[in-house]
Every structure is written in C-alpha cells, then in structure tokens.
Amino acid sequence: MPNLRQYWLVTLIVGALGGSLANWAGWPLPWVIGALVAVMLTRCAGSLVPEIPHGRQVGQLIVAVAIGCHFTLPVMQQVASHLGLILFAVLLTLVLAVCSVLILHRWGVPFGTGLFALMPANSSEMVHLGRQRQADTRFIAAAHSIRLLLILLTVPAVATFGMPQVVAHAPLPVIWPWLIFILAMAWLAALGFKHCKLPNPWTFGPFLICAVGVGCNNLSMSMPGWLSGCGQLLIGCALGVAFDRSFLRRAPALLSKVLVLLTGSVITTAMAAWALGAGLGMPWLSLALGMMPGSAPEMSLTAEALGLAVTLVTAMQVIRMLVIQAACLPLFRLLDRTAQVQAPASANSA
C-alpha cells in the first residue's frame, strides 16, 4: 500500500476549493467550514486524503496570533472587570457537561468513557486521560469529533444568519516588524508549552504571547486577511481528516446518543446566555459564543465576523478550557467513587 502522507498537497487543494466555494456562497467561517466539509466528504467518499504535516499546529498558531491582536490594554481591563461573570458562565458550562455525562452513564456507557467523551476540553488530552484509565479511546475521539462538527456547522450559521448585518469596521493596520516578531515568539512559546506538557500548546502559547505583547506595548494592529485565512484553511483541513467511512460505521447507536446530548447542551447554553444577557444588560450572543463547548479559535473568529466582543468570547473560551482541564480528573475521582458506592447499594437493595 503506498504511503498516503506524501499526497498531503491534495488535501490542501481540496480544502482550498471547499473554502473558496463557501466564501463565494457567503457562508460564515468559510475557510474553516468549507475546508472541513470538502475534506470530510472526500474521505467519506473513499478517497483517503491524508493529514497535512504540522498543518493543525501552524493553523492554530496563526489564528491564535490573529485573535491575540484584539487584546489591547483597555480591552484587557474591560475583560478583567467581567472576570466574575466569566467564571460563573464557565461553571455553568461545566455543570451542563457533568449532567450530560451522568445521563450518558444512565444510558449504559461506562462512566469514565462518558466523562472523557463529553468534557468540552482538548480532545487529545481527553483521549490520553481516558487511555490511562482503560476507557474506550475510539469512542472518546469520535465523540469529540462530533462535538466540534456539530458546533462548527450550526453555531456560526445560526449566529450569522440570525443576526442583523453589522457595519464592517475598517481593519487596523498591519505592523509587519511587530507581527513577524510576535509570530516568531509565538512559535517559541508553543514549543515551550509543548515541552512543559501544557494543554493546547499551539493555541494558548501563541495567544498568550500575542496578547501580552499587544497589550503591554499598547499596539493597534491586525493580521492581514490572507494570512488569517491560511491559518483557518489549515485548521479546517485538519478537522476534516478525522472523518472517513469507518467513522460513520463506528457504534452508531452510541454516537447518536452523544449527538442528542450535545444538541441539548448547545440549546441549553444558548438559553442560559440569553437569560444572563437579559439580566445583566449584555449582548447575549457574545455570552453564548463564549460559553459554547466548542473551540476557542472558531468561536472567536465568529465573534469577529459579527462585530461582537471578540475579547470577551476569547477570554471565556480560554478560561473555560483551563478550568475544565483542571477539574476533569478531580471530577472523575469524585463521581467514579460515588458511582461505585451506589452500585453495590443498588445490588443489595435488589
């Protein structure tokens, strides 16, 4: 069998064609969603186009720097003033995830598998933790793929087409010396985060470097649209290669249960964001994008396209990821111990 990895350029071409078509059609996040759908359909049709070497990492780094350019000093001060709201929203998201895990466990899925499958955190980290605890890693990986696919195909579209058209602001200038320097430092930060085994190193490391660099130097700058689009294209291609025919045939009954729970979680999150926004007099859609159990880059890019509070959405997504990542193992130990105690009690009463 030939080595398919050498044909990664085909993947890039397929993704670029899909992104171009989505951009022509006016679809939200065209270079992410168009590339994702094109590569996914190509693989499900039987053509196993391979993963682009280091494509996801490069794409995450570029998009993280593009988002970090929004974090000027005044904006960071505004985010700090809403820290209590951000933490409350993150805890609410965590509670919704735990409820979904408990329901999935009641439906017959082993507790550890259900927990690591439905926690809205980094998928590779959840697979790693599940493997250490003898959980079904194939199911965990599939559940996270469904989560990202569901949110990327629905949330940006509903947010975009359900919102009135916003007036596009003139883009900030591109300060090339600063941008090149920040990109280089972002790459070093990502390597450092990876060496220290921190979560999402290619997103959090570059984002932190860019936010600190822009905020501390009071810069007003942006990334050129073509470079940000290249990063989004690479991310879309990387997400698309997670799907193929075998994925669609993998435990359809279990995956359908995950899809039902995730859909309910997305709807409940939107309703909670609307209630919070109405009570606090804040734009509920910004809160909804910040609370969605999706991926920080894509939700932040959606907020940017709609003219919403990009920094608030990004801060909520980043803090959500960190809190859930930190709480995952303590929750597993606590809830697994509780389930083990309840099981013998139920057997004795029977």
Side-chain angles (χ1 to χ4, degrees), residues 86-108:
I86 292 173
L87 290 175
F88 177 78
V90 167
L91 291 176
L92 185 59
T93 304
L94 181 60
V95 169
L96 287 174
V98 170
C99 291
S100 297
V101 170
L102 295 177
I103 294 173
L104 191 62
H105 181 53
R106 296 273 295 185
W107 287 349

Side-chain angles (χ1 to χ4, degrees), residues 108-131:
V109 176
F111 177 76
T113 298
L115 180 81
F116 296 117
L118 293 183
M119 280 290 115
N122 179 260
S123 57
S124 59
E125 183 67 19
M126 294 300 100
V127 170
H128 175 67
L129 293 177
R131 183 181 296 110

Side-chain angles (χ1 to χ4, degrees), residues 6 11 28 48 63 75 107 112-113 133 140-141 177 191 217 230 240 263 269 286 303 315 323 344 350:
Q6 60 184 312
T11 308
L48 294 179
V63 170
V75 167
W107 287 349
T113 298
R133 286 150 187 85
I140 294 171
L191 293 178
N217 292 281
C230 289
T263 302
T269 298
S286 294
V323 169

Side-chain angles (χ1 to χ4, degrees), residues 62-208:
I62 293 172
V63 170
V65 171
I67 294 170
C69 288
H70 291 275
F71 277 71
T72 60
L73 186 58
V75 167
M76 292 178 72
Q77 292 171 344
Q78 293 176 7
V79 170
S81 67
H82 293 107
L83 187 58
L85 168 66
I86 292 173
L87 290 175
F88 177 78
V90 167
L91 291 176
L92 185 59
T93 304
L94 181 60
V95 169
L96 287 174
V98 170
C99 291
S100 297
V101 170
L102 295 177
I103 294 173
L104 191 62
H105 181 53
R106 296 273 295 185
W107 287 349
V109 176
F111 177 76
T113 298
L115 180 81
F116 296 117
L118 293 183
M119 280 290 115
N122 179 260
S123 57
S124 59
E125 183 67 19
M126 294 300 100
V127 170
H128 175 67
L129 293 177
R131 183 181 296 110
Q132 290 180 331
R133 286 150 187 85
Q134 291 75 50
D136 186 347
T137 55
R138 287 170 60 86
F139 178 74
I140 294 171
H144 282 281
S145 297
I146 288 178
R147 172 173 64 88
L148 292 176
L149 183 66
L150 171 68
I151 290 176
L152 281 177
L153 293 184
T154 58
V155 174
V158 171
T160 300
F161 299 127
M163 284 282 294
Q165 293 293 321
V166 296
V167 178
H169 298 288
L172 294 173
V174 179
I175 308 176
W176 279 107
W178 270 109
L179 182 59
I180 294 172
F181 175 75
I182 288 176
L183 284 171
M185 292 299 102
W187 177 68
L188 293 176
L191 293 178
F193 269 52
K194 182 180 179 181
H195 179 73
C196 296
K197 298 182 179 179
L198 296 173
N200 282 16
W202 294 95
T203 294
F204 288 165
F207 165 75
L208 179 62

Side-chain angles (χ1 to χ4, degrees), residues 216-350:
C216 292
N217 292 281
N218 200 23
L219 299 174
S220 294
M221 59 176 284
S222 65
M223 178 179 287
W226 62 266
L227 183 55
S228 177
C230 289
Q232 297 175 47
L233 172 62
L234 290 172
I235 290 176
C237 291
L239 293 172
V241 297
F243 300 90
D244 54 28
R245 287 180 176 178
S246 65
F247 176 88
L248 299 177
R249 293 192 292 261
R250 191 180 306 157
L254 287 178
L255 294 182
S256 63
K257 293 176 181 178
V258 170
L259 184 60
V260 168
L261 290 173
L262 289 173
T263 302
S265 178
V266 169
I267 294 173
T268 305
T269 298
M271 294 173 61
W274 179 83
L276 276 175
L280 299 173
M282 297 183 65
W284 74 272
L285 193 51
S286 294
L287 296 176
L289 290 176
M291 294 170 63
M292 281 294 162
S295 178
E298 289 79 18
M299 295 300 98
S300 300
L301 288 169
T302 303
E304 183 180 39
L306 294 175
L308 299 172
V310 179
T311 49
L312 178 64
V313 172
T314 305
M316 292 177 71
Q317 286 286 341
V318 170
I319 293 175
R320 173 187 65 79
M321 186 71 71
L322 293 174
V323 169
I324 291 178
Q325 201 89 20
C328 193
L329 280 183
L331 274 174
F332 172 77
R333 297 188 187 102
L334 175 64
L335 296 177
D336 188 51
R337 189 183 307 117
T338 302
Q340 291 177 2
V341 170
Q342 290 177 346
S346 302
N348 291 334
S349 61

